[in-house]
Amino acid sequence: MPRRRTSSSSSSSTAPSAAPATPRNRTPQPVRVRRRSFGDFVKAFLAFVVLLALVVGVPLALAVTVGWPLPNGAPGLDWLQREITVQTFLHILTVIVWLAWAQFAACVLVEVKAALSGVGVPGRVPGSGPSQLLARQLVAALLLVGATAASLTPGLSQLGQSLEGNQKPAVAAAQQTPGLFAQQQEQAASTANALAEQAGQAGQAAARADGGASAANGDTKYYRIQPPEGRHHDSLWEVADRHLGDGRRYKEIFELNKDRVQPDGSKLSEASLIRPGWIMEMPGDARGGELVEMPDEAPNVSEQVQQQISDYARTGGDHAQGGGGAQGGGDAHVSLPEQRPAPTPATPVTPATPAPGPATGGQHATPAAEESGRSFGLPEALLAAPLLAAGLLGALGRRRRQALWHSALGAVGGRRGMEPPTPTGDAQDVQDALLVGADPDGVRLLDRSLRGLAASLAAESRALPVVYAAWMGGNGDLHLQLAQPAGKPPSPWQVGQDQTFWMLARADAERYEDAETAAPYPGLVSLGTMDDSRLLLNLEAVPGLVSLSGAEADRAAVFASVAAELATNGWSDRMTITLVGFGDDLTPLAPNRIRHLDGFEDLFETMSAETRQRRGALGAAGHDSVLTGRTGPAQHTRWAPHLVLLAAQPSDEDALRLAELAADAGRLGIGYLVGTEGADLPGAAWEMEITGGGKLLAPLLGLELEAQLLPAAQQRAVVELFTDADPERGPGGPANTPPFLVDISEQGRPAVYARLVGSYEIIGLDTPDGDRSAQLHEALALLLLHREGVHPRVLASALWPRGVTEDVRDALLERLRAWLGTDPDGTPRLGTDATGRLTLAKSVVSDLDVLRSLYYEATQGRGVDSRQVRGRLLTDALVLVRGPLLADRPEGRYRWLTHEIIDAQLPLLVADTGLALSEFHLERGRAEKAIEALNAALRTAPADERLWHELLRATHATEDADRLRALAADLIGRSGARGLPPRTEALLDELLPTWRDGVAAAG
């Protein structure tokens, strides 16, 4: 396929030189309606008379003058021997006229139905080309009296319009995705076809008359974008290829027509976004039969088209510098879905104009910061990837919790790590970028929406439709692009801009509950954004290979982003990701999902066996594809996708073997993304190119995205975060020294003391006045939980998850500084470190800091050599525990705690403290004191199995059998249907051998 070639020079030549570019607005303007003239009424009346004469007059005249031309009975053999008379000729002619009338009447009915409904291409009546064309023109002229010209031309006014009439037109086309946009293709109705044919005939006549002289004299020519034929859509690339001899000259056409108002009221803003019926001014050397010269005088072009081209020629155009991707035709299409405006009458909202109020879709960066181009030292690639950031952040939190529990289960006294290592350098910047850029709400809504759709379809005994792509709009709406129409979607889903789009509004998605069903489309992965919408491609459903060309480093950034999101996303259950040709090992992100292969031979051996296995399994189960299998009884154990990412360039022989292997991959749930150096890849259903400027281009797919990338530096930093959190790291594991130790002596009394463990209280500061008090308390809590420092953008995204301006954030920081005040030496209690992160002075402490310091001192400090000191420190630590962290926090605030692991750290710390104090008392034979300490710890860590085991031992030490049986019964009751853990059962067998008899008696 032709490829777009980019260079620094071309990029610079097309870059805007004015002020910073504003978001592009694709909203169609109101359709310009030409006022009907007296001539229109005359034409309509004459058309009515002609139709009446042909449809009604002809049969009446035949019936009156000739009568029934056929015999009233079956003719005998003597009929062949009769003399042929004039009457016989009249009857034969009458039969022919009746047949011609019937054919014309059928044409009229077909054209009237199509013109009135505005939906569907008029059916072709067999053998009736001229008569159907006549019927079409008469019907169009007749209906012109009661409707506007635009409403009679679906190619101009109806293409891409939604059923509700409140959405914007679909725009981009893609390749080899059979069945997409079938309904939209049908909406290019007969009048648009007729007008296009007339324009083409006029152009052919002019070309024959001039003999190509127009190319020499530079006469202005015009081309009308053609309606789709079958599944093929017109594009500027193909127009340039046909009429200028080089598809790469599409930019010249774009520059001539950019920002000029089209007949349907919209404007050409990107070279990939064109629609049937639009008019394009062509360069002077354009040639070909479809071009129209001097349209005002062209006799074979309808007055409507002449008027439109004349109006268009007079608009001139700004001819602003710009560029765009060419739209291509193919067997399938991926389209940017139409966005619904926000329901605010006074403020129209378009896809490129964010709705008033909070932003959505993970756009946490402050607008002022982005406009000024400052990144505050954080990697922009992750700031612009909300779904990827949310997946990585969630997986990192799970890994750190796993490490904590792993450490707890293997702990011996205090000789273990309680704190994950504090990242530094690039790893710290990447972690901050994940905190700022992550959109967990978007991931949650996407997951619930997809699972809810699958559950609703299963309840209706309907199969899952094949989904090639999903678009997440800036307003939070979700659009699924289907391979082909699949009927009416289940409520609350709605039909989108056509029958191949299912749409779910954000308000409806937020009402979804968690559904107990398998993830229906786990292969969706983000590729990038176009305007305000994010494209997710369903890799496992693409019918063939997906190729990616471009420079090796740019390709690697795309591959790393795709692999990282697939490995950590929140809308899939199980999958296998096979990586070939990756320089860096991404396995630490998801060891259970990712595997690396050394080369193509290993890949062919592995995938050939799996392809055969999946074919056999589908056949044995009676399923056509993995989608039908996912909704069956084995939905949670089978049909997981297998996605293969080949960053290495395959040889010609390997490429052919890949194409053969992927021929049936779509229905098997196997997807292939292959990197190439520029050559066409056999069997590639989609071909994409990544540029050095971060654009993901697919000229024949109609896509020009801001690519989602994970560059090498950020990739290494992400892997470092996961590696440091690996519970299997061994001796080099997390250090067990708290990040901040408090002076627990009497001389170390703090100036500001915050109680976080339990209800939130602050000692040493006045309560702030006004509405900002809650925000100041929340900001201080975040800083207290991160003594290593908090990036200003992290603080802003925590307090305002949907975005805030830079001046509002800075104003809050100034209020926070003023509230905290200064130490006696004049040092501000809220400072900034060398990296620009916010830090608290040592005079501002929390009870969590004191709890950590007391436990550390008791188990690794002074308490190691003094039993008395250890007992006192552990007792003081346990007294600080008044309940869960920030127990009375208001609903809707402190949502950033979901990214933290403090909810796992605090119960473990309390449990360790209780266990250490219990051990201290049991050594002295004080079983009751040990039981008291364990019960205190259980109030904060009720799920810690270690506390229950020690409580059983301490109760057994009291030698009170009834008390031990009561505790065992309480444990059994708490375990519910799951039953007791094996280790707890073994301990009960040791301490209370008769406990099973009590269970049997109770049962």
PDB file of all heavy atoms in Angstrom, residues 571-597:
ATOM      1  N   TRP A 571      -9.616  -4.793  32.203  1.00  0.00           N
ATOM      2  CA  TRP A 571     -10.843  -5.274  31.563  1.00  0.00           C
ATOM      3  C   TRP A 571     -10.654  -6.670  30.952  1.00  0.00           C
ATOM      4  O   TRP A 571     -11.377  -7.064  30.054  1.00  0.00           O
ATOM      5  CB  TRP A 571     -11.319  -4.297  30.487  1.00  0.00           C
ATOM      6  CG  TRP A 571     -10.293  -3.955  29.451  1.00  0.00           C
ATOM      7  CD1 TRP A 571     -10.029  -4.614  28.288  1.00  0.00           C
ATOM      8  CD2 TRP A 571      -9.390  -2.846  29.475  1.00  0.00           C
ATOM      9  NE1 TRP A 571      -9.021  -4.011  27.594  1.00  0.00           N
ATOM     10  CE2 TRP A 571      -8.617  -2.909  28.290  1.00  0.00           C
ATOM     11  CE3 TRP A 571      -9.166  -1.805  30.368  1.00  0.00           C
ATOM     12  CZ2 TRP A 571      -7.630  -1.965  28.010  1.00  0.00           C
ATOM     13  CZ3 TRP A 571      -8.185  -0.874  30.079  1.00  0.00           C
ATOM     14  CH2 TRP A 571      -7.435  -0.958  28.913  1.00  0.00           C
ATOM     15  N   SER A 572      -9.664  -7.411  31.437  1.00  0.00           N
ATOM     16  CA  SER A 572      -9.462  -8.782  30.967  1.00  0.00           C
ATOM     17  C   SER A 572      -9.243  -9.691  32.174  1.00  0.00           C
ATOM     18  O   SER A 572      -8.842  -9.231  33.248  1.00  0.00           O
ATOM     19  CB  SER A 572      -8.275  -8.875  30.009  1.00  0.00           C
ATOM     20  OG  SER A 572      -7.077  -8.530  30.679  1.00  0.00           O
ATOM     21  N   ASP A 573      -9.527 -10.978  31.988  1.00  0.00           N
ATOM     22  CA  ASP A 573      -9.336 -11.963  33.051  1.00  0.00           C
ATOM     23  C   ASP A 573      -8.015 -12.708  32.872  1.00  0.00           C
ATOM     24  O   ASP A 573      -7.152 -12.687  33.734  1.00  0.00           O
ATOM     25  CB  ASP A 573     -10.497 -12.967  33.058  1.00  0.00           C
ATOM     26  CG  ASP A 573     -11.827 -12.301  33.332  1.00  0.00           C
ATOM     27  OD1 ASP A 573     -11.849 -11.376  34.163  1.00  0.00           O
ATOM     28  OD2 ASP A 573     -12.839 -12.675  32.712  1.00  0.00           O
ATOM     29  N   ARG A 574      -7.905 -13.378  31.758  1.00  0.00           N
ATOM     30  CA  ARG A 574      -6.729 -14.193  31.494  1.00  0.00           C
ATOM     31  C   ARG A 574      -6.296 -13.977  30.051  1.00  0.00           C
ATOM     32  O   ARG A 574      -7.133 -13.755  29.175  1.00  0.00           O
ATOM     33  CB  ARG A 574      -7.040 -15.686  31.700  1.00  0.00           C
ATOM     34  CG  ARG A 574      -7.469 -16.068  33.085  1.00  0.00           C
ATOM     35  CD  ARG A 574      -8.086 -17.460  33.121  1.00  0.00           C
ATOM     36  NE  ARG A 574      -7.266 -18.468  32.455  1.00  0.00           N
ATOM     37  CZ  ARG A 574      -7.583 -19.032  31.297  1.00  0.00           C
ATOM     38  NH1 ARG A 574      -8.685 -18.694  30.675  1.00  0.00           N
ATOM     39  NH2 ARG A 574      -6.795 -19.940  30.763  1.00  0.00           N
ATOM     40  N   MET A 575      -5.031 -14.033  29.817  1.00  0.00           N
ATOM     41  CA  MET A 575      -4.520 -13.991  28.448  1.00  0.00           C
ATOM     42  C   MET A 575      -3.060 -14.405  28.455  1.00  0.00           C
ATOM     43  O   MET A 575      -2.413 -14.440  29.506  1.00  0.00           O
ATOM     44  CB  MET A 575      -4.677 -12.607  27.818  1.00  0.00           C
ATOM     45  CG  MET A 575      -3.755 -11.555  28.377  1.00  0.00           C
ATOM     46  SD  MET A 575      -3.779 -10.026  27.396  1.00  0.00           S
ATOM     47  CE  MET A 575      -5.487  -9.565  27.521  1.00  0.00           C
ATOM     48  N   THR A 576      -2.585 -14.726  27.278  1.00  0.00           N
ATOM     49  CA  THR A 576      -1.161 -15.020  27.087  1.00  0.00           C
ATOM     50  C   THR A 576      -0.599 -14.004  26.115  1.00  0.00           C
ATOM     51  O   THR A 576      -1.194 -13.745  25.062  1.00  0.00           O
ATOM     52  CB  THR A 576      -0.952 -16.438  26.539  1.00  0.00           C
ATOM     53  OG1 THR A 576      -1.512 -17.373  27.461  1.00  0.00           O
ATOM     54  CG2 THR A 576       0.522 -16.731  26.364  1.00  0.00           C
ATOM     55  N   ILE A 577       0.533 -13.420  26.473  1.00  0.00           N
ATOM     56  CA  ILE A 577       1.205 -12.444  25.613  1.00  0.00           C
ATOM     57  C   ILE A 577       2.576 -13.006  25.289  1.00  0.00           C
ATOM     58  O   ILE A 577       3.412 -13.192  26.183  1.00  0.00           O
ATOM     59  CB  ILE A 577       1.335 -11.082  26.305  1.00  0.00           C
ATOM     60  CG1 ILE A 577      -0.035 -10.594  26.792  1.00  0.00           C
ATOM     61  CG2 ILE A 577       1.955 -10.061  25.364  1.00  0.00           C
ATOM     62  CD1 ILE A 577       0.056  -9.431  27.743  1.00  0.00           C
ATOM     63  N   THR A 578       2.798 -13.288  24.022  1.00  0.00           N
ATOM     64  CA  THR A 578       4.074 -13.822  23.577  1.00  0.00           C
ATOM     65  C   THR A 578       4.858 -12.712  22.891  1.00  0.00           C
ATOM     66  O   THR A 578       4.354 -12.077  21.962  1.00  0.00           O
ATOM     67  CB  THR A 578       3.873 -15.003  22.612  1.00  0.00           C
ATOM     68  OG1 THR A 578       3.209 -16.066  23.315  1.00  0.00           O
ATOM     69  CG2 THR A 578       5.199 -15.512  22.087  1.00  0.00           C
ATOM     70  N   LEU A 579       6.078 -12.476  23.361  1.00  0.00           N
ATOM     71  CA  LEU A 579       6.929 -11.417  22.832  1.00  0.00           C
ATOM     72  C   LEU A 579       8.114 -12.033  22.102  1.00  0.00           C
ATOM     73  O   LEU A 579       8.773 -12.933  22.628  1.00  0.00           O
ATOM     74  CB  LEU A 579       7.429 -10.520  23.966  1.00  0.00           C
ATOM     75  CG  LEU A 579       6.365  -9.933  24.910  1.00  0.00           C
ATOM     76  CD1 LEU A 579       7.023  -9.059  25.958  1.00  0.00           C
ATOM     77  CD2 LEU A 579       5.323  -9.147  24.131  1.00  0.00           C
ATOM     78  N   VAL A 580       8.359 -11.523  20.905  1.00  0.00           N
ATOM     79  CA  VAL A 580       9.498 -11.976  20.105  1.00  0.00           C
ATOM     80  C   VAL A 580      10.257 -10.742  19.633  1.00  0.00           C
ATOM     81  O   VAL A 580       9.661  -9.820  19.071  1.00  0.00           O
ATOM     82  CB  VAL A 580       9.041 -12.815  18.886  1.00  0.00           C
ATOM     83  CG1 VAL A 580      10.248 -13.274  18.078  1.00  0.00           C
ATOM     84  CG2 VAL A 580       8.207 -14.003  19.333  1.00  0.00           C
ATOM     85  N   GLY A 581      11.562 -10.722  19.862  1.00  0.00           N
ATOM     86  CA  GLY A 581      12.376  -9.619  19.378  1.00  0.00           C
ATOM     87  C   GLY A 581      12.392  -8.405  20.267  1.00  0.00           C
ATOM     88  O   GLY A 581      12.784  -7.322  19.830  1.00  0.00           O
ATOM     89  N   PHE A 582      11.981  -8.538  21.525  1.00  0.00           N
ATOM     90  CA  PHE A 582      12.022  -7.419  22.449  1.00  0.00           C
ATOM     91  C   PHE A 582      13.394  -7.337  23.092  1.00  0.00           C
ATOM     92  O   PHE A 582      13.918  -8.328  23.597  1.00  0.00           O
ATOM     93  CB  PHE A 582      10.952  -7.580  23.537  1.00  0.00           C
ATOM     94  CG  PHE A 582       9.593  -7.107  23.119  1.00  0.00           C
ATOM     95  CD1 PHE A 582       8.867  -7.792  22.172  1.00  0.00           C
ATOM     96  CD2 PHE A 582       9.050  -5.962  23.665  1.00  0.00           C
ATOM     97  CE1 PHE A 582       7.623  -7.362  21.773  1.00  0.00           C
ATOM     98  CE2 PHE A 582       7.799  -5.516  23.283  1.00  0.00           C
ATOM     99  CZ  PHE A 582       7.082  -6.213  22.329  1.00  0.00           C
ATOM    100  N   GLY A 583      13.952  -6.113  23.123  1.00  0.00           N
ATOM    101  CA  GLY A 583      15.256  -5.954  23.723  1.00  0.00           C
ATOM    102  C   GLY A 583      15.220  -6.057  25.233  1.00  0.00           C
ATOM    103  O   GLY A 583      16.099  -6.637  25.855  1.00  0.00           O
ATOM    104  N   ASP A 584      14.201  -5.471  25.863  1.00  0.00           N
ATOM    105  CA  ASP A 584      14.094  -5.489  27.315  1.00  0.00           C
ATOM    106  C   ASP A 584      13.028  -6.485  27.738  1.00  0.00           C
ATOM    107  O   ASP A 584      11.984  -6.624  27.088  1.00  0.00           O
ATOM    108  CB  ASP A 584      13.747  -4.097  27.847  1.00  0.00           C
ATOM    109  CG  ASP A 584      14.867  -3.102  27.594  1.00  0.00           C
ATOM    110  OD1 ASP A 584      16.029  -3.527  27.645  1.00  0.00           O
ATOM    111  OD2 ASP A 584      14.566  -1.924  27.343  1.00  0.00           O
ATOM    112  N   ASP A 585      13.272  -7.134  28.843  1.00  0.00           N
ATOM    113  CA  ASP A 585      12.362  -8.145  29.350  1.00  0.00           C
ATOM    114  C   ASP A 585      11.232  -7.458  30.123  1.00  0.00           C
ATOM    115  O   ASP A 585      11.476  -6.761  31.109  1.00  0.00           O
ATOM    116  CB  ASP A 585      13.113  -9.103  30.264  1.00  0.00           C
ATOM    117  CG  ASP A 585      12.264 -10.307  30.637  1.00  0.00           C
ATOM    118  OD1 ASP A 585      11.098 -10.355  30.228  1.00  0.00           O
ATOM    119  OD2 ASP A 585      12.780 -11.194  31.342  1.00  0.00           O
ATOM    120  N   LEU A 586      10.002  -7.644  29.672  1.00  0.00           N
ATOM    121  CA  LEU A 586       8.835  -7.066  30.334  1.00  0.00           C
ATOM    122  C   LEU A 586       8.143  -8.061  31.254  1.00  0.00           C
ATOM    123  O   LEU A 586       7.075  -7.754  31.783  1.00  0.00           O
ATOM    124  CB  LEU A 586       7.834  -6.562  29.287  1.00  0.00           C
ATOM    125  CG  LEU A 586       8.309  -5.422  28.398  1.00  0.00           C
ATOM    126  CD1 LEU A 586       7.256  -5.098  27.339  1.00  0.00           C
ATOM    127  CD2 LEU A 586       8.603  -4.189  29.224  1.00  0.00           C
ATOM    128  N   THR A 587       8.728  -9.228  31.447  1.00  0.00           N
ATOM    129  CA  THR A 587       8.089 -10.254  32.261  1.00  0.00           C
ATOM    130  C   THR A 587       7.756  -9.791  33.671  1.00  0.00           C
ATOM    131  O   THR A 587       6.704 -10.174  34.205  1.00  0.00           O
ATOM    132  CB  THR A 587       8.974 -11.512  32.323  1.00  0.00           C
ATOM    133  OG1 THR A 587       9.223 -11.964  30.988  1.00  0.00           O
ATOM    134  CG2 THR A 587       8.307 -12.619  33.104  1.00  0.00           C
ATOM    135  N   PRO A 588       8.583  -8.950  34.349  1.00  0.00           N
ATOM    136  CA  PRO A 588       8.221  -8.531  35.709  1.00  0.00           C
ATOM    137  C   PRO A 588       6.866  -7.854  35.812  1.00  0.00           C
ATOM    138  O   PRO A 588       6.268  -7.842  36.887  1.00  0.00           O
ATOM    139  CB  PRO A 588       9.357  -7.563  36.089  1.00  0.00           C
ATOM    140  CG  PRO A 588      10.523  -8.029  35.286  1.00  0.00           C
ATOM    141  CD  PRO A 588       9.935  -8.488  33.986  1.00  0.00           C
ATOM    142  N   LEU A 589       6.341  -7.295  34.714  1.00  0.00           N
ATOM    143  CA  LEU A 589       5.039  -6.647  34.779  1.00  0.00           C
ATOM    144  C   LEU A 589       3.929  -7.654  35.045  1.00  0.00           C
ATOM    145  O   LEU A 589       2.950  -7.332  35.746  1.00  0.00           O
ATOM    146  CB  LEU A 589       4.750  -5.895  33.471  1.00  0.00           C
ATOM    147  CG  LEU A 589       5.262  -4.453  33.367  1.00  0.00           C
ATOM    148  CD1 LEU A 589       6.766  -4.383  33.518  1.00  0.00           C
ATOM    149  CD2 LEU A 589       4.825  -3.831  32.043  1.00  0.00           C
ATOM    150  N   ALA A 590       4.023  -8.834  34.481  1.00  0.00           N
ATOM    151  CA  ALA A 590       2.986  -9.852  34.661  1.00  0.00           C
ATOM    152  C   ALA A 590       3.583 -11.213  34.351  1.00  0.00           C
ATOM    153  O   ALA A 590       3.429 -11.726  33.236  1.00  0.00           O
ATOM    154  CB  ALA A 590       1.782  -9.565  33.762  1.00  0.00           C
ATOM    155  N   PRO A 591       4.280 -11.829  35.301  1.00  0.00           N
ATOM    156  CA  PRO A 591       4.944 -13.111  35.021  1.00  0.00           C
ATOM    157  C   PRO A 591       3.978 -14.199  34.582  1.00  0.00           C
ATOM    158  O   PRO A 591       4.381 -15.126  33.868  1.00  0.00           O
ATOM    159  CB  PRO A 591       5.592 -13.457  36.372  1.00  0.00           C
ATOM    160  CG  PRO A 591       5.739 -12.151  37.084  1.00  0.00           C
ATOM    161  CD  PRO A 591       4.565 -11.329  36.652  1.00  0.00           C
ATOM    162  N   ASN A 592       2.717 -14.118  35.001  1.00  0.00           N
ATOM    163  CA  ASN A 592       1.745 -15.141  34.630  1.00  0.00           C
ATOM    164  C   ASN A 592       1.161 -14.930  33.233  1.00  0.00           C
ATOM    165  O   ASN A 592       0.451 -15.801  32.723  1.00  0.00           O
ATOM    166  CB  ASN A 592       0.604 -15.180  35.644  1.00  0.00           C
ATOM    167  CG  ASN A 592       1.070 -15.607  37.016  1.00  0.00           C
ATOM    168  OD1 ASN A 592       2.014 -16.377  37.135  1.00  0.00           O
ATOM    169  ND2 ASN A 592       0.434 -15.081  38.056  1.00  0.00           N
ATOM    170  N   ARG A 593       1.418 -13.784  32.627  1.00  0.00           N
ATOM    171  CA  ARG A 593       0.846 -13.484  31.315  1.00  0.00           C
ATOM    172  C   ARG A 593       1.904 -13.437  30.215  1.00  0.00           C
ATOM    173  O   ARG A 593       1.645 -13.863  29.088  1.00  0.00           O
ATOM    174  CB  ARG A 593       0.102 -12.144  31.340  1.00  0.00           C
ATOM    175  CG  ARG A 593      -1.228 -12.165  32.059  1.00  0.00           C
ATOM    176  CD  ARG A 593      -2.000 -10.879  31.790  1.00  0.00           C
ATOM    177  NE  ARG A 593      -3.320 -10.894  32.430  1.00  0.00           N
ATOM    178  CZ  ARG A 593      -4.249  -9.959  32.257  1.00  0.00           C
ATOM    179  NH1 ARG A 593      -3.994  -8.921  31.480  1.00  0.00           N
ATOM    180  NH2 ARG A 593      -5.409 -10.055  32.858  1.00  0.00           N
ATOM    181  N   ILE A 594       3.046 -12.874  30.523  1.00  0.00           N
ATOM    182  CA  ILE A 594       4.045 -12.585  29.485  1.00  0.00           C
ATOM    183  C   ILE A 594       5.051 -13.716  29.396  1.00  0.00           C
ATOM    184  O   ILE A 594       5.518 -14.241  30.411  1.00  0.00           O
ATOM    185  CB  ILE A 594       4.765 -11.257  29.787  1.00  0.00           C
ATOM    186  CG1 ILE A 594       3.785 -10.093  29.711  1.00  0.00           C
ATOM    187  CG2 ILE A 594       5.913 -11.043  28.824  1.00  0.00           C
ATOM    188  CD1 ILE A 594       4.417  -8.750  30.026  1.00  0.00           C
ATOM    189  N   ARG A 595       5.397 -14.075  28.166  1.00  0.00           N
ATOM    190  CA  ARG A 595       6.498 -15.001  27.933  1.00  0.00           C
ATOM    191  C   ARG A 595       7.294 -14.518  26.731  1.00  0.00           C
ATOM    192  O   ARG A 595       6.740 -13.959  25.780  1.00  0.00           O
ATOM    193  CB  ARG A 595       5.992 -16.421  27.701  1.00  0.00           C
ATOM    194  CG  ARG A 595       5.174 -16.605  26.430  1.00  0.00           C
ATOM    195  CD  ARG A 595       4.770 -18.060  26.262  1.00  0.00           C
ATOM    196  NE  ARG A 595       3.979 -18.257  25.063  1.00  0.00           N
ATOM    197  CZ  ARG A 595       3.445 -19.423  24.708  1.00  0.00           C
ATOM    198  NH1 ARG A 595       3.627 -20.481  25.472  1.00  0.00           N
ATOM    199  NH2 ARG A 595       2.751 -19.534  23.607  1.00  0.00           N
ATOM    200  N   HIS A 596       8.583 -14.739  26.775  1.00  0.00           N
ATOM    201  CA  HIS A 596       9.488 -14.335  25.699  1.00  0.00           C
ATOM    202  C   HIS A 596       9.931 -15.577  24.930  1.00  0.00           C
ATOM    203  O   HIS A 596      10.211 -16.615  25.518  1.00  0.00           O
ATOM    204  CB  HIS A 596      10.717 -13.624  26.264  1.00  0.00           C
ATOM    205  CG  HIS A 596      10.451 -12.215  26.683  1.00  0.00           C
ATOM    206  ND1 HIS A 596      10.848 -11.130  25.942  1.00  0.00           N
ATOM    207  CD2 HIS A 596       9.811 -11.717  27.760  1.00  0.00           C
ATOM    208  CE1 HIS A 596      10.478 -10.019  26.553  1.00  0.00           C
ATOM    209  NE2 HIS A 596       9.850 -10.352  27.670  1.00  0.00           N
ATOM    210  N   LEU A 597      10.004 -15.438  23.617  1.00  0.00           N
ATOM    211  CA  LEU A 597      10.552 -16.495  22.764  1.00  0.00           C
ATOM    212  C   LEU A 597      11.787 -15.958  22.065  1.00  0.00           C
ATOM    213  O   LEU A 597      11.871 -14.765  21.744  1.00  0.00           O
ATOM    214  CB  LEU A 597       9.515 -16.952  21.739  1.00  0.00           C
ATOM    215  CG  LEU A 597       8.255 -17.627  22.299  1.00  0.00           C
ATOM    216  CD1 LEU A 597       7.317 -18.030  21.176  1.00  0.00           C
ATOM    217  CD2 LEU A 597       8.612 -18.839  23.153  1.00  0.00           C
TER     218      LEU A 597
END
